[in-house]
Amino acid sequence: MKELQNLVRPNIWKLAPYSSARNEYAGHTAHVFLDANENPYNKPYNRYPDPLQIDVKEKIANIKDVNPECIFLGNGSDEAIDLCYRVFCEPRIDNVVAIEPTYGMYKVCADLNDVEYRPVLLDDNFQMSASKILDACDDHTKLVWICSPNNPSGNNISREEIVKVITNSDGIVIIDEAYSDFSREKNFRSELKKYPNIIVLNTFSKAWGCAAIRLGMAFAGKEIINLFNKVKYPYNINALTQKKALEIIDDYSDVHEWLRLILMERTHMIKAFRDLPICERVYPTDANFFLAKMDDAQAVYDYLVEKGIIVRNRTRVRLCNNCLRVTIGTRSENAELIGAIRQFSEAHKA
């Protein structure tokens, strides 16, 4: 890895961050707030939220076993993804490398930030070759994107191959572990000290059942987190989101139960799909969804839409021709999907 200063955009390294009113008295106890031009009425919503979300980070740190100073909280993981470009990538000069297919926001943010995006195709089993990833890199490659478990394929990317990329890359390797709670694979956030050039993403949207509150997490070394905090908008996480995050963390036992139910249903759903005559293959998954190759994905998708059942048609994605991505729902939702698709299969056979 290059020195961090040599990876960061020069203007960002020199940037003097905006100093919010709530930052300036940090470390002191206060009860009269006349510093931020707030309305004194309609408490508590009249006050700006904690710009660094200290209480939330401390609780996350206890669960994730990460130092609070190594945690960034964003408006969904998408904010952290965008910040990676804004901190490290010089528009029209630098580039990023990513596995393909994968989560679409990596490329969207590259396009928004005018940064070259270099996709490297996975093999037919949706596995990555570290040598191909590294071959796609050059002196202007600042970021490498690896989603594991991957989306839309659902499988863990080989840990051995990921480590090869991390240890041989001059830039920052971002490992998106949005679905890691559904997997038994060892996570990378526990190895931040071992690999100082990684950023690990996680989210409250999946296992935590809080997609609506838009809260994403990034774990990295303190220096990288400080850069994120320097560039982010001052009050990027609102008070209602912080309040709900604290509540769900306190009810962590619920999350464990949801995980148990989802994993149990995942087993049932995969078996049911494999038994369908119109299903050619169900790919291995370590996430809360699976990818199924159908005889005619578009026809199945259209039929399900008419029944008010929505899955994701991924047939236009590379390596995913005639594939549907199916999220694991409740038992009743899953039963309704299986019932409908069996009806389609019977009609298709006739």
Side-chain angles (χ1 to χ4, degrees):
M1 174 187 172
K2 296 177 181 177
E3 290 293 325
L4 187 61
Q5 184 174 350
N6 295 327
L7 290 172
V8 176
R9 292 170 61 191
N11 66 306
I12 299 299
W13 189 263
K14 297 174 184 176
L15 178 68
Y18 174 78
S19 180
S20 70
R22 292 297 176 261
N23 283 127
E24 291 176 357
Y25 76 91
H28 298 275
T29 301
H31 65 279
V32 176
F33 298 99
L34 304 175
D35 57 339
N37 301 336
E38 299 155 322
N39 188 321
Y41 305 107
N42 194 36
K43 294 180 180 179
Y45 304 111
N46 61 326
R47 300 299 181 192
Y48 287 108
D50 177 1
L52 293 176
Q53 312 94 34
I54 299 300
D55 290 345
V56 182
K57 286 178 180 176
E58 286 179 352
K59 289 206 170 187
I60 290 173
N62 290 333
I63 290 175
K64 299 289 189 178
D65 195 25
V66 176
N67 189 312
E69 294 180 334
C70 294
I71 301 173
F72 170 81
L73 298 182
N75 185 355
S77 295
D78 294 341
E79 182 180 4
I81 292 169
D82 184 57
L83 281 176
C84 288
Y85 286 96
R86 294 169 63 194
V87 168
F88 294 106
C89 297
E90 199 71 60
R92 302 187 186 184
I93 296 176
D94 294 326
N95 65 73
V96 304
V97 173
I99 60 174
E100 173 81 3
T102 194
Y103 181 44
M105 280 303 296
Y106 311 145
K107 186 177 188 307
V108 169
C109 286
D111 293 342
L112 286 170
N113 287 281
D114 206 5
V115 173
E116 181 189 356
Y117 184 87
R118 298 180 176 182
V120 177
L121 195 64
L122 299 174
D123 66 22
D124 290 340
N125 293 314
F126 296 105
Q127 279 300 333
M128 176 188 79
S129 163
S131 61
K132 289 182 179 179
I133 292 288
L134 294 168
D135 285 346
C137 299
D138 62 21
D139 288 342
H140 289 288
T141 302
K142 291 294 186 67
L143 309 174
V144 176
W145 294 97
I146 302 172
C147 185
S148 182
N150 192 26
N151 179 11
S153 55
N155 61 299
N156 281 317
I157 301 298
S158 165
R159 187 178 184 84
E160 181 180 355
E161 294 298 293
I162 295 176
V163 170
K164 287 179 184 176
V165 172
I166 294 170
T167 54
N168 290 282
S169 175
D170 287 333
I172 302 294
V173 180
I174 301 116
I175 307 159
D176 191 341
E177 295 184 338
Y179 300 96
S180 61
D181 293 291
F182 304 100
S183 168
R184 294 180 179 177
E185 183 68 78
K186 182 182 178 182
N187 61 69
F188 275 94
R189 73 170 179 272
S190 60
E191 300 190 291
L192 296 178
K193 291 183 180 179
K194 184 176 181 181
Y195 303 119
N197 62 325
I198 66 172
I199 298 171
V200 181
L201 304 183
N202 206 217
T203 177
F204 273 72
S205 296
K206 311 304 179 184
W208 295 74
C210 285
I213 72 172
R214 307 308 302 129
L215 187 59
M217 295 169 274
F219 306 101
K222 181 180 176 181
E223 283 188 293
I224 292 176
I225 296 302
N226 287 343
L227 289 164
F228 277 24
N229 288 332
K230 182 193 288 193
V231 176
K232 78 173 183 70
Y233 290 118
Y235 303 107
N236 62 323
I237 307 298
N238 68 69
L240 297 177
T241 291
Q242 294 188 45
K243 180 175 183 291
K244 184 59 183 178
L246 291 171
E247 290 174 359
I248 195 69
I249 293 170
D250 286 341
D251 294 331
Y252 191 53
S253 59
D254 288 345
V255 177
H256 280 294
E257 177 62 10
W258 298 338
L259 285 171
R260 185 187 70 81
L261 293 171
I262 289 169
L263 293 177
M264 181 175 64
E265 285 296 305
R266 186 178 74 182
T267 300
H268 294 158
M269 287 285 283
I270 289 173
K271 182 180 184 305
F273 261 74
R274 284 176 175 160
D275 290 341
L276 292 169
I278 59 170
C279 179
E280 296 181 9
R281 181 180 181 184
V282 178
Y283 290 91
T285 183
D286 301 283
N288 66 328
F289 62 87
F290 61 89
L291 194 68
K293 187 173 183 63
M294 314 300 289
D295 287 348
D296 187 343
Q298 188 65 53
V300 176
Y301 176 81
D302 292 341
Y303 180 83
L304 292 174
V305 169
E306 290 179 3
K307 298 291 185 180
I309 302 170
I310 309 300
V311 296
R312 197 79 190 270
N313 186 359
R314 300 280 75 189
T315 194
R316 292 183 178 85
V317 175
R318 295 178 76 184
L319 299 181
C320 298
N321 184 47
N322 267 330
C323 286
L324 298 178
R325 193 191 70 190
V326 181
T327 304
I328 306 302
T330 64
R331 172 153 294 191
S332 61
E333 290 171 332
N334 298 335
E336 187 172 351
L337 168 61
I338 293 300
I341 209 167
R342 283 172 178 162
Q343 289 177 354
F344 174 88
S345 183
E346 287 298 315
H348 184 72
K349 182 174 64 176

